[in-house]
Amino acid sequence: MQRKISVLIADDERNIGILVKKLIHWEELNLECLGIVDNGEIALDMIRTHHPDIVITDICMPVIDGLEMIRISQAENLNPHFIIISGYREFDYAHRAMEYGVDSYLLKPIIEEKLNETLQKTTEKIIGRVQMLRQDNEIQQSLTESHTIIRQVIMKNLVEGNGLSNSATMKKHIDGERFLFFIVKLDYVNSQDSLNEDEKYKDTSTEQVQKMIRECLKDSSDVIIYPWEDRFFCLVGYADGKADYIFLMISRILLQIKEYLRGFDLQDVTIGIGEEKDSLELVLESLDEAKRAVVNRIKYGTGRLIPYSIIGKEKISSSELNEIMNNRYHEIRSTKENYSVPGLFALVDELFAVLENKTETDLSCLIEVADTLERIIMETDRKNWAPDEKEMMEYRLLLHNSRTLQEFHWVVKHHLSNILNSMRAAAESQYTKPVRIAKEYMESYYNQHITLDSIAELVDMNPVYFSTVFKRETGENISAFLQNVRIEQAKKLLVETNETTAAIAGMVGYSDSRYFAKVFLKATGMRPATYRRLHA
């Protein structure tokens, strides 16, 4: 009977280690668990003492991290087969792991099928059932997978604003003498459809668009595609002198995607193209240019190529934009404090007109303007108001899917008016609740000694401020409201009981019956005794 292959699991989160153990098909693969440890130093001691065949390890662990543990093991010729399972996507980790002779590098979340497939391959190598040719193919496959991972990590860092990766590593994994970015942007013809996007359709279109991009560029360049939301970021490397041909292929990509989308009648496509760069160190510039080109479809129209070269180079500088916004800051704040939607709309229209009248201006600055307007409007006390996260996400989606200036303007103004209306409702609620509590208290305890200070303390507000709030909400001050409550109760007692006027005065909160009679006369136009004779 074949001996079981021993497996050690090392992960700083013990629950993850237990999960890995549960996912492994132990009997099917003829494996046995040597143990689960959560410390790199303990794992290294286990390797030295028990010599496991396979070590499944995380990178991030206390005392000794996974990569250092592997390095020491290899230096001491312990040589178990290592499989890394980690949440780290940085290519440096993957690259270093492969240099140390790691069998496989798997990313969290852990996929059961992939994990067991990797273990199967490792087990076959251990027991010698795999021929040399298959071993070579597996190594090549592993290297190819790592190459793919590293390329995707490079793109992720670029697109998501994490900066350039190591230049030497980039050159090792991206071929070419010249480089440029282009962005394929899919827009729903009706932007509201983007809020109800069918996931199955999205997955299918994502796969098809990537396939068309690769097919068009496969013979002339090296291309890495990074799908992100409704965009496909494409970094192309190619030989010197091929720029015109690459542009022609990008034009073909546009036509093929348009033809594909025509079958659904849902979306349109625009491609923004950055300028050619002669080194990988400059590709971030090309990426920024492609992003700006795509945004400017609101100016030039969708369903076309927009090379950065056609955009007006008169980009509004950050300092100029800040000056424009600062000059209107107090006006914007004033509209917010007054919850004036018409006033806000007028300001937004004025701002956009100033920017759009610069006919040679790159209109990608409008995104920054929209963000700044939102920030100024939302500068407020969040104690009684907070933005609706779902609405904020929907706004970002609609904003970046706007296909025309008119649509862009509508989305911004509609969003900001929603914020103002929500703030006003929250402010009104803030005032209404304390006033309601105060009124209910006075209507229930009118016979007690009640002062402005005692009421303000009840609702936890400053007496002077609460007095202003109460009058604004009810149209009368607190003393007048309390007096009316007491007089109404006195009227009922005069009609429904035989109590004396002095007794009734005390029952409704007046210790002085003569003062009560004076107040009653002023409020009703008659003395208490007269009111009783007329209404009893």
Side-chain angles (χ1 to χ4, degrees):
M1 182 176 177
Q2 287 184 343
R3 74 171 183 89
K4 289 186 178 292
I5 304 299
S6 60
V7 179
L8 174 65
I9 301 171
D11 196 296
D12 64 316
E13 295 185 56
R14 187 166 181 82
N15 288 338
I16 300 296
I18 293 171
L19 173 62
V20 171
K21 182 179 178 182
K22 289 182 178 179
L23 293 177
I24 294 174
H25 302 163
W26 296 98
E27 291 300 320
E28 179 183 333
L29 298 176
N30 196 35
L31 303 174
E32 64 178 355
C33 183
L34 191 60
I36 301 172
V37 297
D38 57 3
N39 180 301
E41 186 175 56
I42 296 173
L44 185 58
D45 288 341
M46 291 279 285
I47 294 170
R48 288 168 174 161
T49 305
H50 298 283
H51 304 287
D53 298 299
I54 300 172
V55 177
I56 300 174
T57 182
D58 193 359
I59 290 176
C60 181
M61 288 192 296
V63 187
I64 299 176
D65 68 28
L67 293 179
E68 181 64 5
M69 178 185 69
I70 295 168
R71 188 192 67 76
I72 295 172
S73 297
Q74 303 290 34
E76 295 180 7
N77 294 317
L78 299 171
N79 300 324
H81 291 259
F82 284 99
I83 297 172
I84 288 181
I85 298 179
S86 176
Y88 287 86
R89 291 174 178 261
E90 288 80 7
F91 72 91
D92 282 331
Y93 287 98
H95 188 60
R96 287 173 60 193
M98 296 311 301
E99 288 180 339
Y100 292 158
V102 169
D103 286 68
S104 293
Y105 185 96
L106 302 178
L107 295 176
K108 296 177 182 177
I110 303 161
I111 300 172
E112 180 176 355
E113 181 181 355
K114 183 64 176 176
L115 173 62
N116 284 285
E117 176 188 329
T118 302
L119 284 167
Q120 175 68 39
K121 291 178 181 179
T122 306
T123 300
E124 289 175 353
K125 286 193 288 185
I126 291 171
I127 63 177
R129 288 181 297 181
V130 181
Q131 297 177 354
M132 185 62 69
L133 179 60
R134 185 173 177 185
Q135 288 179 337
D136 290 343
N137 289 339
E138 286 176 354
I139 293 171
Q140 185 58 45
Q141 169 97 18
S142 179
L143 290 172
T144 300
E145 289 177 358
S146 296
H147 176 68
T148 301
I149 291 171
I150 293 170
R151 283 162 64 93
Q152 286 299 305
V153 169
I154 289 172
M155 285 292 281
K156 182 178 188 293
N157 288 337
L158 290 171
V159 171
E160 297 185 11
N162 298 323
L164 284 168
S165 302
N166 178 275
S167 178
T169 303
M170 290 179 68
K171 290 177 181 177
K172 183 176 179 180
H173 292 280
I174 303 172
D175 296 329
E177 299 171 334
R178 297 288 185 269
F179 308 90
L180 67 78
F181 257 101
F182 68 91
I183 300 173
V184 178
K185 174 72 172 71
L186 301 184
D187 283 308
Y188 276 86
V189 176
N190 179 358
S191 60
Q192 289 292 329
D193 288 338
S194 62
L195 303 180
N196 304 302
E197 188 171 29
D198 182 272
E199 287 299 321
K200 186 175 181 181
Y201 166 72
K202 181 180 178 182
D203 292 343
T204 302
S205 61
T206 297
E207 182 180 334
Q208 289 299 317
V209 168
Q210 291 187 81
K211 182 178 178 181
M212 285 182 272
I213 295 171
R214 289 195 177 93
E215 283 296 315
C216 287
L217 294 170
K218 68 179 181 180
D219 296 328
S220 58
S221 63
D222 181 21
V223 59
I224 311 176
I225 307 169
Y226 187 76
W228 197 44
E229 296 178 344
D230 51 7
R231 305 175 190 195
F232 301 83
F233 292 82
C234 305
L235 173 57
V236 187
Y238 49 92
D240 187 18
K242 285 274 191 178
D244 290 342
Y245 182 76
I246 295 300
F247 191 89
L248 178 63
M249 289 301 100
I250 295 174
S251 300
R252 181 175 296 178
I253 289 168
L254 177 73
L255 293 174
Q256 289 189 8
I257 295 174
K258 284 174 74 73
E259 183 64 29
Y260 168 73
L261 294 176
R262 194 171 288 123
F264 299 96
D265 198 28
L266 285 173
Q267 289 177 303
D268 199 358
V269 58
T270 305
I271 299 182
I273 309 173
E275 296 192 331
E276 179 184 85
K277 307 299 175 184
D278 60 7
S279 73
L280 282 167
E281 287 81 359
L282 299 176
V283 293
L284 273 176
E285 292 180 16
S286 186
L287 171 60
D288 181 62
E289 291 161 358
K291 287 179 178 179
R292 287 160 58 189
V294 163
V295 172
N296 273 275
R297 71 195 185 287
I298 63 176
K299 176 180 179 181
Y300 295 100
T302 58
R304 57 169 293 176
L305 296 180
I306 304 180
Y308 177 71
S309 57
I310 74 169
I311 298 175
K313 292 302 190 290
E314 190 186 341
K315 180 186 179 184
I316 292 183
S317 67
S318 295
S319 59
E320 185 180 358
L321 191 59
N322 287 338
E323 183 179 356
I324 291 172
M325 298 306 296
N326 287 338
N327 288 341
R328 291 162 177 80
Y329 177 82
H330 293 295
E331 294 176 79
I332 298 169
R333 287 285 298 177
S334 177
T335 62
K336 177 254 170 174
E337 288 165 3
N338 296 316
Y339 308 112
S340 172
V341 172
L344 178 65
F345 281 4
L347 278 169
V348 173
D349 288 340
E350 179 192 343
L351 268 174
F352 284 160
V354 169
L355 298 170
E356 291 160 20
N357 283 339
K358 295 176 177 290
T359 55
E360 296 300 316
T361 298
D362 168 8
L363 292 186
S364 61
C365 65
L366 292 184
I367 296 288
E368 188 174 347
V369 171
D371 290 342
T372 304
L373 284 167
E374 180 186 69
R375 176 180 56 77
I376 295 173
I377 294 297
M378 290 174 60
E379 285 178 354
T380 184
D381 180 5
R382 295 295 182 85
K383 181 179 179 181
N384 299 295
W385 177 85
D388 184 298
E389 293 301 324
K390 182 181 178 183
E391 288 182 3
M392 297 295 285
M393 290 176 63
E394 289 181 352
Y395 164 64
R396 304 307 302 176
L397 188 60
L398 290 173
L399 187 70
H400 288 278
N401 277 291
S402 297
R403 301 166 69 237
T404 65
L405 278 170
Q406 182 181 12
E407 186 177 355
F408 186 92
H409 293 180
W410 181 88
V411 168
V412 173
K413 293 200 288 188
H414 182 72
H415 174 63
L416 296 179
S417 68
N418 281 346
I419 291 178
L420 277 188
N421 289 331
S422 296
M423 286 180 170
R424 182 175 59 237
E428 290 173 351
S429 175
Q430 175 190 0
Y431 296 140
T432 300
K433 184 177 179 180
V435 169
R436 176 173 52 80
I437 292 172
K439 289 169 68 176
E440 289 175 354
Y441 181 82
M442 288 186 280
E443 287 167 350
S444 298
Y445 300 99
Y446 54 84
N447 59 340
Q448 304 293 319
H449 178 64
I450 297 175
T451 65
L452 171 60
D453 286 345
S454 65
I455 290 290
E457 184 179 359
L458 176 69
V459 296
D460 193 25
M461 292 178 70
N462 176 274
V464 175
Y465 179 63
F466 180 64
S467 177
T468 302
V469 170
F470 189 93
K471 186 164 186 178
R472 181 169 64 229
E473 292 296 306
T474 65
E476 57 185 344
N477 58 38
I478 291 174
S479 60
F481 179 85
L482 179 59
Q483 177 182 291
N484 289 338
V485 171
R486 286 171 167 170
I487 294 301
E488 289 303 313
Q489 292 299 322
K491 288 178 181 179
K492 291 176 64 177
L493 292 170
L494 286 167
V495 173
E496 298 173 1
T497 72
N498 294 319
E499 297 287 348
T500 65
T501 299
I504 290 174
M507 293 169 68
V508 297
Y510 291 101
S511 57
D512 186 337
S513 60
R514 287 180 297 177
Y515 178 69
F516 163 69
K518 183 179 179 180
V519 171
F520 192 94
L521 174 62
K522 184 177 180 181
T524 65
M526 61 187 76
R527 295 181 181 280
T530 305
Y531 185 90
R532 172 174 272 172
R533 285 198 303 272
L534 290 174
H535 295 88

